[in-house]
Amino acid sequence: EKMNSAMSEEPDALSVVNQLRDLAADPLNRRAIVQDQGCLPGLILFLDHPNPQVVHSALLALRYLAECRANREKMKSELGMMLSLQNVIQKTTTPGETKLLASEVYDILQSSNMSDMDNVNEMNYRRRKAQFFLGSTNKRAKTVVLHIDGLDDSSRRNLCEEALLKIKGVISFTFQMAVQRCVVRIRSDLKAEALATAIASTKVMKAQQVVKSESGEEMLIPFQDTPVEVEQNTDLPDYLPEDESPSKEQDKAVSRVGSHPEGAASWLSTAANFLSRSFYW
């Protein structure tokens, strides 16, 4: 009986967690989401969800929320947060990208109240520990900074996010919309060109890599125009094609919510209602 109702709620869980992720991607919403009564506990419960895509999406939402320094203490002390992140990292069935993303969130929160020096030591210790959990197969992650021509509104950001999520080896990404940038964490064996190919596949955006010269100045390096063979991410179930996607209409509403925190707040209460219905009966 219980099993069936959980099954029937699955598409709901995915569309709710994807909307929370989209809301969290906008820096204007990050404080409100963490202060909301239902959203953080809901995201923590999503970390135990049987669908690996729900777990990954919840981690991306948490990764966005943790970018806001003011949120970190509350997130770290939220019941079950650190434990659930550890569970994701230690579970043998967790896909590699998801483990790395979870250990990244764990590191950010774990080091939230330390001095910078403690911070560095703790991060190194955590990283060694995370590598131990991840096994030698997952080499270190690396960061690539992209400048994306055409990244100028939330629907473009969603397109970009979808393209990046499909690539095997992408762990997390952060958008800096004001400067048309995207900071992407990828496994070290993935070529940065694969990111450019994926972004070019949107037909409306083009990526260049941002690198620092020896004198510390930033330079834009265009990628070669020859497309790279991109390995599709098979660990996560495919996204629904656009025309079947149940959250398509709601996504339009969500992208309008972006710059109006009060709109986000009313949506958050809907999400919190859903979460309390699903988890607390």
Side-chain angles (χ1 to χ4, degrees), residues 42-59:
L43 283 169
I44 292 170
L45 288 163
F46 277 146
L47 295 178
D48 285 329
H49 201 278
N51 178 347
Q53 205 181 345
V54 169
V55 176
H56 194 82
S57 211
L59 282 167

Side-chain angles (χ1 to χ4, degrees), residues 181 209-221:
R181 283 195 181 175
Q209 190 169 359
V210 182
V211 293
K212 278 207 164 90
S213 67
E214 285 177 10
S215 60
E217 282 182 64
E218 290 192 345
M219 303 181 317
L220 291 182
I221 311 277

Side-chain angles (χ1 to χ4, degrees), residues 152-213:
D152 43 26
D153 63 23
S154 57
S155 67
R156 291 280 175 89
R157 187 191 66 214
N158 290 347
L159 269 181
C160 193
E161 189 168 66
E162 271 171 37
L164 291 173
L165 273 172
K166 289 191 179 119
I167 306 174
K168 192 171 173 58
V170 167
I171 299 160
S172 69
F173 34 78
T174 304
F175 291 101
Q176 298 167 347
M177 297 298 286
V179 287
Q180 293 190 309
R181 283 195 181 175
C182 181
V183 180
V184 192
R185 297 270 295 154
I186 57 177
R187 296 211 340 216
S188 51
D189 49 2
L190 180 67
K191 291 192 167 54
E193 283 77 11
L195 305 177
T197 304
I199 287 163
S201 75
T202 64
K203 306 278 193 289
V204 288
M205 288 177 282
K206 196 171 175 224
Q208 293 174 287
Q209 190 169 359
V210 182
V211 293
K212 278 207 164 90
S213 67

Side-chain angles (χ1 to χ4, degrees), residues 73-104:
E73 272 306 301
K74 176 154 175 33
M75 288 175 71
K76 183 183 173 183
S77 58
E78 188 71 39
L79 189 68
M81 172 72 80
M82 301 307 271
L83 207 59
S84 296
L85 288 169
Q86 275 180 319
N87 286 343
V88 174
I89 296 167
Q90 291 171 28
K91 218 186 252 171
T92 48
T93 53
T94 306
E97 283 79 18
T98 307
K99 285 190 181 199
L100 283 166
L101 176 53
S103 49
E104 200 169 276

Side-chain angles (χ1 to χ4, degrees), residues 221-232:
I221 311 277
F223 287 100
Q224 303 305 318
D225 275 341
T226 49
V228 181
E229 189 59 39
V230 172
E231 192 183 348
Q232 293 288 302

